[in-house]
Amino acid sequence: NAGVMQNPRHLVRRRGQEARLRCSPMKGHSHVYWYRQLPEEGLKFMVYLQKENIIDESGMPKERFSAEFPKEGPSILRIQQVVRGDSAAYFCASSPTLGQLEKLFFGSGTQLSVL
Amino acid sequence: AQKVTQAQTEISVVEKEDVTLDCVYETRDTTYYLFWYKQPPSGELVFLIRRNSFDEQNEISGRYSWNFQKSTSSFNFTITASQVVDSAVYFCALSEARGSGNTGKLIFGQGTTLQVKP
């Protein structure tokens, strides 16, 4: 059973470009969480999604950031017009149902570098 | 507000020494979970342990042990006979509870960088 898959592993963008980060949850998991790790810091919650629904986006910046988890396909974290401050590691986690934290698994992360 | 504090930013030990990583948390919830994760230099997050707030029993797994003290809101992590492969950043995390159940949203500490020298 494959774990949480994130791609790309490394993404380089120039200022002003768009970044699209993908997360395929574990098989049977319908809950996805995105976290951001800025350099030298711990992980910060961004958004929690179920299939086709955003449940909690309290950690998402108000502008340029969006997330989706369509009925088919991976969850996408999209950052428009990237700036240097967006450089960070972005982690995705999934769980099968709400509250099953013993089954919360993280992906290996996407390292975004903005030049 | 919920908060996790890992006061030790960096720890350096020599191989075979024991080392304890501290974690103090704040929450008003009566039901919550505490976690430890390891982040090796390769960057991925490795799950180590999850502890329910109702279970104060200490746990041992090989060279790893965890001491949960609800009275002092601490969940410390000890590595016995440390090895070079233990070198990593270690994160303590607290689950956020909302309404009738936990949401899966974790509050992370700043992390402790452990360096084990040969």
Side-chain angles (χ1 to χ4, degrees):
Chain A
N1 190 10
V4 178
M5 304 300 291
Q6 288 189 249
N7 68 82
R9 190 71 198 275
H10 301 276
L11 181 62
V12 179
R13 285 287 178 267
R14 296 190 181 280
R15 279 179 297 169
Q17 291 184 320
E18 178 180 286
R20 292 171 72 89
L21 288 63
R22 294 176 188 77
C23 170
S24 296
M26 286 184 71
K27 188 176 180 180
H29 287 198
S30 57
H31 297 244
V32 165
Y33 311 81
W34 284 94
Y35 287 79
R36 178 166 65 172
Q37 184 180 23
L38 293 169
E40 310 296 326
E41 293 188 14
L43 281 75
K44 297 285 196 303
F45 168 81
M46 298 181 75
V47 62
Y48 160 40
L49 310 104
Q50 292 179 30
K51 284 285 187 181
E52 301 185 277
N53 289 304
I54 295 175
I55 306 302
D56 182 348
E57 56 181 347
S58 58
M60 286 278 269
K62 299 299 180 195
E63 297 177 350
R64 301 186 298 107
F65 284 72
S66 62
E68 62 176 12
F69 188 18
K71 188 176 180 181
E72 301 291 337
S75 175
I76 305 288
L77 179 66
R78 183 182 177 206
I79 311 172
Q80 294 178 291
Q81 299 174 329
V82 296
V83 300
R84 288 221 173 105
D86 296 332
S87 295
Y90 292 83
F91 288 91
C92 169
S94 73
S95 67
T97 62
L98 175 67
Q100 279 196 291
L101 296 181
E102 69 274 20
K103 295 181 181 175
L104 182 69
F105 293 94
F106 280 85
S108 296
T110 292
Q111 181 65 50
L112 172 65
S113 298
V114 179
L115 304 179
Chain B
Q2 296 181 305
K3 186 179 178 182
V4 175
T5 302
Q6 294 180 254
Q8 304 150 308
T9 305
E10 291 184 24
I11 301 176
S12 182
V13 299
V14 177
E15 208 170 17
K16 297 184 183 175
E17 285 185 17
D18 298 347
V19 58
T20 295
L21 283 61
D22 298 332
C23 173
V24 175
Y25 62 93
E26 297 175 28
T27 181
R28 292 181 180 176
D29 296 323
T30 54
T31 303
Y32 52 89
Y33 288 96
L34 293 162
F35 299 77
W36 275 94
Y37 288 90
K38 174 182 179 180
Q39 187 175 44
S42 50
E44 72 273 20
L45 274 178
V46 179
F47 168 82
L48 295 178
I49 191 171
R50 176 189 65 98
R51 172 62 74 222
N52 183 307
S53 57
F54 293 113
D55 181 2
E56 288 196 66
Q57 278 193 337
N58 291 329
E59 181 153 341
I60 298 175
S61 176
R63 297 184 297 108
Y64 295 170
S65 62
W66 290 269
N67 183 355
F68 178 26
Q69 297 278 348
K70 211 167 179 180
S71 59
T72 56
S73 297
S74 66
F75 186 42
N76 296 337
F77 171 34
T78 297
I79 301 174
T80 304
S82 59
Q83 300 176 1
V84 173
V85 293
D86 295 327
S87 298
V89 181
Y90 290 86
F91 291 100
C92 180
L94 168 71
S95 69
E96 179 181 272
R98 184 180 68 189
S100 59
N102 293 307
T103 64
K105 182 174 163 181
L106 300 183
I107 312 297
F108 282 82
Q110 294 290 91
T112 296
T113 299
L114 173 65
Q115 184 180 35
V116 181
K117 299 177 181 175

